[in-house]
Amino acid sequence: MPENSDNCCPPAKNIILVGFMGSGKSTIGRELGQLLSYPLIDTDSVVEEQEQISISDIFSLKGEDYFRDCETAAVKRLLGTCLDHHIIATGGGLPLREENRKLLKKLGYVVWLDATPDSILERTSRTNNRPLLQTENPRKTIEEMLEKRHSIYKDVAHLRLQTTGLSISETAHGILESARYFFGQA
Ligand code: S3P
């Protein structure tokens, strides 16, 4: 159940999507938002709005550590408003910091959208807006990063869902069912 006992907000019924770049967080987030009539918040967009530049420019001009600080600040702001009944799609590296993992759990039900390297490569190769994947061998990069991040996502998530082979609707309905159960217990 949401672990927000150290702030003054009531337990929040947000659904938070975590997972690797290209795992479908934005797409599934939009679908969940429509099914539940909940607004969708994307932490990458929150950071871009705050900084008034793109994620790629933040990485190249200010560096990854600065971007991670922005992510932490963004999640803290969301928690500070006692945000409730929202879908929150997170940047793929947001759970890397232990502090962020604790904050996410306070925000609500955390779902890890897992996907195979093949489907991640297929989805992420359509655009070049992910600085960490602009390497000579994106497939190798994806495999190495996935391996490093596996335990991170496992640690933060209440639910892990393997999305490869599932339709958007199947994935969203699976999440809804288990979120209802989770919140019913909370
Ligand atoms: C990142 C994922 C990106 C974005 C940034 C870093 C990561 O978000 O936050 O490029 O470290 O995995 P998406 O997961 O929405 O692509």
Side-chain angles (χ1 to χ4, degrees), residues 124-135:
T124 54
S125 58
R126 292 179 204 149
T127 59
N128 61 357
N129 60 355
R130 291 178 172 99
L132 296 176
L133 298 183
Q134 305 312 305
T135 62

Side-chain angles (χ1 to χ4, degrees), residues 21 25 44 55 59 67-68 71 91-93 130-132 149:
M21 295 168 264
K25 291 164 293 183
D44 282 344
I55 303 286
F59 268 77
F67 174 69
R68 300 296 173 205
E71 289 188 310
R130 291 178 172 99
L132 296 176
R149 290 185 176 186

Side-chain angles (χ1 to χ4, degrees), residues 76-140:
K76 282 185 175 164
R77 277 200 303 279
L78 296 181
L79 262 177
T81 62
C82 293
L83 189 84
D84 204 358
H85 297 102
H86 279 68
I87 310 296
I88 303 159
T90 59
L94 193 143
L96 287 173
R97 288 190 177 174
E98 190 186 357
E99 178 185 15
N100 292 357
R101 298 200 289 279
K102 286 190 179 145
L103 295 172
L104 289 180
K105 285 182 186 172
K106 288 180 191 169
L107 264 177
Y109 186 52
V110 185
V111 178
W112 168 18
L113 297 183
D114 199 7
T116 60
D118 279 342
S119 56
I120 288 171
L121 183 64
E122 202 262 311
R123 290 185 199 141
T124 54
S125 58
R126 292 179 204 149
T127 59
N128 61 357
N129 60 355
R130 291 178 172 99
L132 296 176
L133 298 183
Q134 305 312 305
T135 62
E136 295 225 324
N137 187 343
R139 173 171 246 289
K140 190 161 170 263

Side-chain angles (χ1 to χ4, degrees), residues 3-176:
E3 297 161 11
N4 61 348
S5 51
D6 61 348
N7 66 18
C8 52
C9 308
K13 294 193 174 179
N14 301 300
I15 298 179
I16 299 109
L17 303 176
V18 301
F20 204 79
M21 295 168 264
S23 58
K25 291 164 293 183
S26 305
T27 308
I28 300 301
R30 272 192 297 275
E31 182 78 5
L32 284 170
Q34 277 177 9
L35 288 170
L36 288 166
S37 300
Y38 285 9
L40 170 66
I41 293 180
D42 182 318
T43 60
D44 282 344
S45 305
V46 173
V47 170
E48 286 182 330
E49 269 163 39
Q50 179 72 23
E51 294 297 307
Q52 293 290 303
I53 49 172
S54 68
I55 303 286
S56 296
D57 284 346
I58 299 175
F59 268 77
S60 62
L61 297 173
K62 302 191 171 184
E64 182 172 347
D65 280 351
Y66 180 85
F67 174 69
R68 300 296 173 205
D69 289 340
C70 294
E71 289 188 310
T72 302
V75 179
K76 282 185 175 164
R77 277 200 303 279
L78 296 181
L79 262 177
T81 62
C82 293
L83 189 84
D84 204 358
H85 297 102
H86 279 68
I87 310 296
I88 303 159
T90 59
L94 193 143
L96 287 173
R97 288 190 177 174
E98 190 186 357
E99 178 185 15
N100 292 357
R101 298 200 289 279
K102 286 190 179 145
L103 295 172
L104 289 180
K105 285 182 186 172
K106 288 180 191 169
L107 264 177
Y109 186 52
V110 185
V111 178
W112 168 18
L113 297 183
D114 199 7
T116 60
D118 279 342
S119 56
I120 288 171
L121 183 64
E122 202 262 311
R123 290 185 199 141
T124 54
S125 58
R126 292 179 204 149
T127 59
N128 61 357
N129 60 355
R130 291 178 172 99
L132 296 176
L133 298 183
Q134 305 312 305
T135 62
E136 295 225 324
N137 187 343
R139 173 171 246 289
K140 190 161 170 263
T141 307
I142 288 168
E143 283 170 354
E144 287 171 357
M145 287 178 74
L146 266 178
E147 192 171 328
K148 280 196 199 130
R149 290 185 176 186
H150 185 97
S151 58
I152 300 284
Y153 295 135
K154 192 169 172 216
D155 179 51
V156 72
H158 296 108
L159 172 73
R160 173 185 181 181
L161 201 60
Q162 176 57 250
T163 59
T164 302
L166 291 184
S167 69
I168 295 169
S169 171
E170 284 168 337
T171 305
H173 280 95
I175 293 170
L176 273 191

